[in-house]
Amino acid sequence: MYENAYKKKPDSEEILNALFMAYVRIGNYKKQQQVAMALHKLRPQKNPYYFWAVMSIVMQAYENENLANSMFLPLAGKMVEKFINEGRLEAEAEVRIYLIILQSMAKFEEALKVLKGPLSEKLVSEPDFPSFLEVELLTKLELWTTVNTAYKRLIESNPDSWQCYKEYLRSSFILIDAHSNAEEGVVNCSDTAADDTVERVVEFLSTMVRRDRDSRESATPPQLPYPIRGPYLGRLELLRILKDRNDVNWNKVLGNPLELICQYYDQFGDKPCCFSDLQLYAALLSESEKQQMITELLAKLGIQSQDGQIVMATDIKVIQRHILLIQLSRYYGFHRQMETDKCLSLAEELLRRYTDGLKFGESLTSTDQQYVDSYMLLLIHLLHDVAVSTKNDQYIWHALVLLEMSLTKSPTNSQLKLLAIQLYAQIGAFMPCYNLYESLEIKHIQHDTLGYVVCNHVLRLGHLSVAHTIFDNTLRFFASVHKDTSDYLISCYKYGSFPKVQEFVQFRHRLQNSLQFAICTAEKLLLDIISNASSHQMTVDIINGMDIDPMTEQTDFKSLCDNRDDSIVFSCEPNKVVDKKELKQKSFLEEKAWLHIRNLTARCLVTAVRLGSPLAGGTTAPESAAIRNGSDAKTVKLRDVLVRLRGELAQCLTDSRQLNKAQMTNDLCLDLYRTRLSAFMRLDLGDRFLIVLDLLLSSELHQNSQQDGQKAASISFSPAQKPAKSLSSLTQENRKPMVMVCGGEERRQIVVEMLENSVLLAEHISQVTIVLGACHEILKPIKASLNKKGKKKKEMDPVMVSVFESYDSFLSETLSAVADLQEAFSEPLTGDNLAFQLDALKIENSNLLFQHVDDTLESSIRKKVTASYQTTAAEIKTLLDRKLRYLENLKF
């Protein structure tokens, strides 16, 4: 539209502006450049138009790395230099874009000259920007002596900049190594201000500590209005580096590490950041020193138990310090070493302190969090430890009661809500999870970073209706991303924020290749295919309404980005027990494997339905049914497509079996819950799906041979091996109560596997039903033809007889499995039966931890869990009823 308007009015600045922004929206950088230059020629006195063209060239370099340094970046640089030579640079944005170009071309020395020249006077919006950019350029040039002194100056002017301390120490040890190796040209010995020895580093950090202490003690106001942590953390970081370098004197250069950590605790122990700071330096202490530190600091607080009585804290700061020591105890692994009775005793103490500490928050508003909420978080982790070690889910149930109680005191505490979501998910109750998730008021980008919190569970626990809602909301966000980021990019050009252009483009790329986006797309597609149809014609109509090409894999697995925020749940678990980074990598691999299986399953179902559907003319000629791949005019037979997809799925299943051997744990501190891949493999559902695909391909192959009057050719793939257990056997094995009594009457276990397996089996039955529907469409004309000719079974082609027998066997087994699953799934989830089972989860114990629980609150939780289980039963029963009607129509 704007292009046509421009052709009619080429001298309209307004139309050219709109045309440029239209190209920004679609990311056509070449066209952007051309329009920007047209604007510049039309209004040469307006510099921004010229620099729109320059930035468009820079983005072409970003898009095409092969031509970046040879064509685009030199061209952009010359265009800016032309304006510099003519003295026409006017704005800070124009200098910033020149610096971007020089850095992209690795011309760091020239960029330094710009920072030290007259053009730097225009860099006024961010006062610290020139200094930090200068030291960044010096680092890239590896001028370590100058880098070191520059970071010292930055630390002196901003003594709480942690990044500066880390870079300062890094440059110091590079100088120390270079000095010890006597490498010529690396160290400038004439600059005595550089710290190229450990002694100088120690002296500088000690000076910064003394300066901070003196400023606190003096009558003049300190440099910063809050206590600075930088110098104190800098000393600990120095010790960590020396220890990692195996320096024999690492624990002597600054004194006893235990004393330094205790000093840091004395300074900042009542600050929420203290735990995350000190956990980085746990390795500086031996196990005995850790125990000694915790014991001495607890005694120093003066709130230890005396004569069996717990001494309560007298103010909020004491509470915060005590919470920190409990968190450190857990991080040091002391809780994992405790016996069950001691764990429960500590949990009881924390509950007492939590209850007593609520008095300090009586004046807080409903949106504020209680000061003692961290006691509850630690208490829940202890109960979870006991539940895992004793294999008794009664402790999980009680943890939920305590969490719900604490949420009445702190209704906005996201950590309590996230823990409650995890516990409800562990016992298989999804609706409370969803309600808590909704109360978090997830907005915009959080659909990508936090959506996994419920998306991992909604289908696993069979809430199909809610799954539609969740996937629709998530996909609606991703659909709006392009428009939103386009608006941001337009604003960047309008207001000269050129450095942000690349950031927003990268941001859009991460969202377009988001793992969460790919998962929701695949699961929504499969859900739409299997959930509503009660006849094959309905399935055909649903798939015909979808814009999907089964030949093409829409997901670029190599470019997938894992944007999940796994740090949202506060964790005190030691790294030796839980390596979150390693677990996230394993989780990402498993998510991709499961996504690949789901994508291939959906594509196989679409191809199968189209293969069995009659053409528009009304005749069934599947061999001529074809699809087109993009703009390629070559047609491909659907049968060939299905054979290829079947082979890819078989290979994917083989690869996933190897991946599934690397076990992951569903630890309470991690929200990255496992996919359903493990249960899927255990039930052999992948191989079962391949077998029914083999039946469809054999049916189609035989139909072709019948039409050609020839003997059926051999199949072009290796048929899948039939699993040892039938589908009906699996459904019978799944007949279990929701709550099992184990170990006499001592333990209760919630059998969540019964729910998970039932949902997977119901999904599998739905998929098999659709493929059988396609087989029916193919075999129906053959059956009609045979009946018309009056052929007896013994006169039929043996291959054809085998096909019909296989079809009848599959149909009969699937019908039987539906009936068995309906019975097995619904029996333990009837109202009275389920209520009786959940009653058994209540703990009768003299421990205060299990007393004084509000019966009304526990009853409310029981009702929510019961309703969730029964919703799962109702949803799956509805799905199975539809598939039962579907299957009944497939009988000959």
Side-chain angles (χ1 to χ4, degrees):
M1 180 178 70
Y2 289 118
E3 288 175 341
N4 293 333
Y6 171 60
K7 290 176 182 177
K8 293 182 179 180
K9 297 186 69 175
D11 57 346
S12 171
E13 182 181 1
E14 182 180 355
I15 291 175
L16 279 173
N17 253 303
L19 181 58
F20 178 83
M21 298 309 170
Y23 287 134
V24 170
R25 289 185 183 279
I26 63 175
N28 191 330
Y29 304 123
K30 179 65 176 176
K31 291 288 187 180
Q32 284 179 213
Q33 176 193 348
Q34 294 171 353
V35 174
M37 289 306 297
L39 277 166
H40 174 65
K41 291 177 182 178
L42 188 64
R43 298 287 186 268
Q45 72 278 10
K46 292 187 176 181
N47 277 18
Y49 294 150
Y50 185 79
F51 283 91
W52 287 3
V54 174
M55 191 64 211
S56 300
I57 296 172
V58 172
M59 293 309 296
Q60 289 178 68
Y62 173 77
E63 190 177 48
N64 189 341
E65 295 181 359
N66 294 330
L67 296 176
N69 289 315
S70 60
M71 185 173 76
F72 293 119
L73 291 174
L75 173 59
K78 288 178 181 178
M79 289 176 68
V80 179
E81 288 166 4
K82 176 178 181 292
F83 263 49
I84 294 174
N85 295 333
E86 295 174 359
R88 296 173 61 185
L89 247 65
E90 298 173 351
E92 177 180 356
E94 297 163 5
V95 180
R96 294 282 288 267
I97 196 172
Y98 186 44
L99 289 170
I100 290 173
I101 294 167
L102 293 176
Q103 290 180 83
S104 300
M105 297 175 68
K107 293 185 176 181
F108 305 124
E109 292 181 356
E110 293 186 27
L112 276 173
K113 291 178 182 178
V114 172
L115 288 177
K116 295 179 180 179
L119 291 177
S120 64
E121 297 174 2
K122 299 183 183 297
L123 302 173
V124 294
S125 64
E126 300 177 45
D128 293 334
F129 171 74
S131 301
F132 280 97
L133 180 58
E134 178 183 354
V135 73
E136 181 182 332
L137 295 170
L138 290 169
T139 301
K140 290 178 178 178
L141 290 170
E142 299 185 355
L143 300 174
W144 299 114
T145 300
T146 313
V147 169
N148 187 265
T149 54
Y151 273 118
K152 286 177 65 177
R153 289 194 299 269
L154 288 173
I155 290 172
E156 289 170 348
S157 61
N158 188 2
D160 209 28
S161 176
W162 179 233
Q163 186 62 32
C164 289
Y165 280 96
K166 292 201 295 185
E167 292 299 326
Y168 160 73
L169 290 171
R170 173 172 169 254
S171 62
S172 293
F173 278 98
I174 290 175
L175 291 172
I176 290 170
D177 291 340
H179 183 74
S180 62
N181 294 331
E183 294 180 0
E184 296 183 2
V186 177
V187 182
N188 182 5
C189 297
S190 62
D191 189 348
T192 57
D195 293 341
D196 55 359
T197 65
V198 173
E199 291 75 15
R200 286 187 174 185
V201 175
V202 170
E203 178 58 29
F204 175 71
L205 293 176
S206 300
T207 301
M208 294 304 300
V209 170
R210 286 195 300 271
R211 184 180 299 177
D212 175 62
R213 288 176 178 169
D214 293 343
S215 68
R216 297 292 157 193
E217 295 171 359
S218 65
T220 58
Q223 185 175 356
L224 293 174
Y226 53 85
I228 60 173
R229 296 144 53 213
Y232 303 94
L233 283 176
R235 295 191 302 179
L236 295 174
E237 181 69 10
L238 172 61
L239 294 186
R240 186 193 66 78
I241 294 173
L242 289 171
K243 188 174 187 298
D244 290 345
R245 291 162 62 92
N246 298 318
D247 190 305
V248 293
N249 297 316
W250 71 271
N251 57 351
K252 299 177 182 178
V253 294
L254 277 165
N256 189 344
L258 177 58
E259 293 180 3
L260 293 178
I261 290 178
C262 289
Q263 289 175 18
Y264 191 83
Y265 169 84
D266 292 339
Q267 286 271 95
F268 307 103
D270 57 345
K271 307 298 180 187
C273 61
C274 193
F275 172 74
S276 58
D277 290 342
L278 291 183
Q279 70 175 351
L280 300 173
Y281 305 107
L284 297 180
L285 303 178
S286 65
E287 293 301 312
S288 60
E289 286 176 324
K290 291 174 184 175
Q291 188 66 63
Q292 176 189 346
M293 183 189 80
I294 297 296
T295 303
E296 291 179 355
L297 293 179
L298 280 174
K300 189 176 179 180
L301 278 179
I303 58 172
Q304 286 182 299
S305 301
Q306 297 178 2
D307 300 328
Q309 297 295 319
I310 298 175
V311 180
M312 298 300 176
T314 55
D315 60 55
I316 296 170
K317 289 190 175 182
V318 173
I319 289 175
Q320 297 299 334
R321 289 181 180 275
H322 184 251
I323 287 172
L324 169 64
L325 294 177
I326 302 299
Q327 290 173 337
L328 287 175
S329 296
R330 184 165 186 83
Y331 186 73
Y332 292 157
F334 298 154
H335 291 180
R336 299 272 180 168
Q337 301 167 9
M338 294 168 63
E339 296 179 354
T340 298
D341 290 342
K342 289 185 177 180
C343 268
L344 292 176
S345 296
L346 177 57
E348 179 185 353
E349 178 187 340
L350 295 182
L351 180 58
R352 288 175 181 269
R353 294 190 183 279
Y354 170 82
T355 305
D356 181 77
L358 289 174
K359 64 187 179 185
F360 296 107
E362 291 176 351
S363 61
L364 296 174
T365 65
S366 60
T367 57
D368 292 327
Q369 299 178 11
Q370 292 290 335
Y371 301 113
V372 289
D373 280 348
S374 293
Y375 278 137
M376 183 58 66
L377 296 174
L378 290 162
L379 163 60
I380 299 305
H381 279 86
L382 284 169
L383 285 178
H384 186 268
D385 290 346
V386 174
V388 171
S389 61
T390 62
K391 297 181 180 179
N392 189 348
D393 286 340
Q394 289 176 288
Y395 296 105
I396 298 291
W397 181 262
H398 198 74
L400 278 170
V401 175
L402 292 174
L403 272 174
E404 291 285 7
M405 178 194 73
S406 61
L407 280 170
T408 62
K409 308 295 183 182
S410 292
T412 60
N413 190 316
S414 60
Q415 291 296 317
L416 293 174
K417 291 180 180 180
L418 288 167
L419 272 185
I421 288 173
Q422 288 173 282
L423 292 179
Y424 277 120
Q426 285 191 18
I427 66 171
F430 179 75
M431 281 312 297
C433 297
Y434 183 63
N435 293 332
L436 287 164
Y437 180 77
E438 287 287 285
S439 70
L440 289 171
E441 298 183 358
I442 299 299
K443 298 284 193 303
H444 203 255
I445 190 64
Q446 292 174 322
H447 285 292
D448 186 27
T449 58
L450 299 180
Y452 70 90
V453 172
V454 291
C455 285
N456 282 6
H457 305 297
V458 61
L459 286 179
R460 178 176 73 89
L461 300 176
H463 285 251
L464 307 185
S465 298
V466 179
H468 278 291
T469 303
I470 291 174
F471 295 147
D472 284 339
N473 291 338
T474 304
L475 294 176
R476 193 177 301 118
F477 156 70
F478 283 106
S480 68
V481 162
H482 188 85
K483 177 185 179 300
D484 292 343
T485 51
S486 296
D487 292 340
Y488 304 151
L489 287 169
I490 287 172
S491 297
C492 289
Y493 282 101
K494 281 184 176 179
Y495 302 112
S497 302
F498 295 122
K500 299 298 180 184
V501 172
Q502 289 181 335
E503 292 181 21
F504 281 122
V505 170
Q506 292 169 356
F507 174 69
R508 180 161 63 185
H509 179 268
R510 284 190 68 88
L511 289 177
Q512 288 173 342
N513 292 280
S514 164
L515 173 67
Q516 183 69 11
F517 178 38
I519 289 173
C520 289
T521 302
E523 295 292 2
K524 179 70 165 59
L525 177 62
L526 269 173
L527 196 58
D528 287 342
I529 292 173
I530 70 170
S531 60
N532 294 321
S534 57
S535 69
H536 192 69
Q537 186 56 49
M538 290 178 66
T539 303
V540 172
D541 293 341
I542 290 170
I543 288 178
N544 286 340
M546 293 179 173
D547 183 18
I548 178 172
D549 178 4
M551 282 189 63
T552 308
E553 174 59 75
Q554 300 296 328
T555 304
D556 184 359
F557 286 92
K558 293 182 179 179
S559 300
L560 275 181
C561 299
D562 189 356
N563 301 331
R564 296 173 297 171
D565 183 5
D566 64 324
S567 64
I568 187 67
V569 178
F570 182 74
S571 171
C572 301
E573 303 304 312
N575 285 335
K576 61 184 179 182
V577 175
V578 177
D579 187 340
K580 295 189 73 172
K581 185 177 180 181
E582 180 183 352
L583 283 178
K584 186 175 182 181
Q585 291 174 346
K586 289 182 179 179
S587 171
F588 185 43
L589 291 175
E590 184 176 308
E591 290 282 0
K592 288 200 294 185
W594 180 240
L595 172 62
H596 201 183
I597 290 173
R598 302 293 276 179
N599 274 350
L600 287 169
T601 302
R603 292 164 66 194
C604 285
L605 288 174
V606 171
T607 309
V609 170
R610 290 179 179 172
L611 184 65
S613 299
L615 298 181
T619 58
T620 305
E623 75 279 5
S624 62
I627 54 181
R628 294 182 179 275
N629 184 11
S631 60
D632 189 356
K634 181 181 178 181
T635 58
V636 182
K637 289 183 178 180
L638 279 170
R639 183 183 189 283
D640 295 337
V641 174
L642 187 56
V643 169
R644 180 168 65 86
L645 290 175
R646 184 211 170 280
E648 290 180 16
L649 180 57
Q651 183 60 49
C652 184
L653 291 170
T654 302
D655 297 339
S656 298
R657 286 189 187 93
Q658 298 300 319
L659 176 66
N660 193 47
K661 292 178 181 178
Q663 293 297 316
M664 287 173 54
T665 130
N666 286 325
D667 200 285
L668 185 58
C669 70
L670 292 173
D671 236 349
L672 302 180
Y673 206 89
R674 291 201 69 172
T675 67
R676 296 186 287 168
L677 179 64
S678 179
F680 181 82
M681 292 297 181
R682 186 174 62 253
L683 297 171
D684 285 327
L685 298 184
D687 288 338
R688 295 175 194 278
F689 185 68
L690 291 178
I691 292 172
V692 74
L693 287 180
D694 293 347
L695 172 63
L696 173 63
L697 289 167
S698 298
S699 303
E700 193 272 345
L701 186 68
H702 183 73
Q703 186 225 32
N704 290 343
S705 66
Q706 287 289 108
Q707 290 181 347
D708 296 339
Q710 298 174 357
K711 185 178 180 180
S714 60
I715 58 177
S716 56
F717 53 88
S718 300
Q721 296 296 319
K722 188 173 182 179
K725 295 180 181 179
S726 67
L727 198 56
S728 294
S729 299
L730 289 178
T731 57
Q732 290 292 338
E733 290 177 2
N734 206 44
R735 301 184 70 167
K736 298 177 182 177
M738 274 304 301
V739 181
M740 292 182 64
V741 179
C742 308
E745 292 291 328
E746 297 179 358
R747 293 189 288 113
R748 306 288 189 275
Q749 283 189 311
I750 301 175
V751 190
V752 183
E753 292 78 9
M754 190 275 286
L755 287 178
E756 296 175 350
N757 293 346
S758 296
V759 174
L760 273 173
L761 288 168
E763 284 186 11
H764 175 70
I765 287 171
S766 301
Q767 295 163 9
V768 168
T769 300
I770 291 171
V771 180
L772 288 176
C775 291
H776 182 266
E777 291 297 310
I778 291 174
L779 295 176
K780 183 166 62 175
I782 301 176
K783 185 72 172 178
S785 174
L786 292 174
N787 291 337
K788 186 176 180 180
K789 294 177 181 178
K791 281 191 177 182
K792 296 181 181 179
K793 189 173 182 180
K794 61 181 182 179
E795 298 174 355
M796 294 171 60
D797 184 347
V799 177
M800 186 171 65
V801 172
S802 175
V803 169
F804 275 97
E805 287 179 348
S806 297
Y807 174 81
D808 291 337
S809 174
F810 262 109
L811 185 60
S812 175
E813 182 185 9
T814 308
L815 281 166
S816 176
V818 170
D820 291 341
L821 187 57
Q822 284 181 319
E823 182 181 357
F825 193 66
S826 59
E827 182 180 340
L829 297 179
T830 55
D832 294 339
N833 191 1
L834 185 58
F836 175 77
Q837 294 178 67
L838 293 180
D839 280 338
L841 291 171
K842 187 172 181 178
I843 299 177
E844 301 295 338
N845 195 297
S846 59
N847 191 312
L848 175 69
L849 197 61
F850 310 110
Q851 294 179 351
H852 309 299
V853 173
D854 187 345
D855 290 336
T856 304
L857 181 62
E858 186 173 22
S859 175
S860 172
I861 295 171
R862 189 183 299 110
K863 287 179 182 178
K864 288 193 291 186
V865 173
T866 300
S868 181
Y869 289 158
Q870 291 178 340
T871 299
T872 301
E875 296 254 9
I876 299 305
K877 185 177 184 302
T878 301
L879 177 65
L880 292 174
D881 286 343
R882 288 172 180 160
K883 295 305 171 280
L884 188 60
R885 294 196 298 272
Y886 198 138
L887 289 165
E888 291 291 345
N889 293 328
L890 301 183
K891 294 180 179 179
F892 287 117

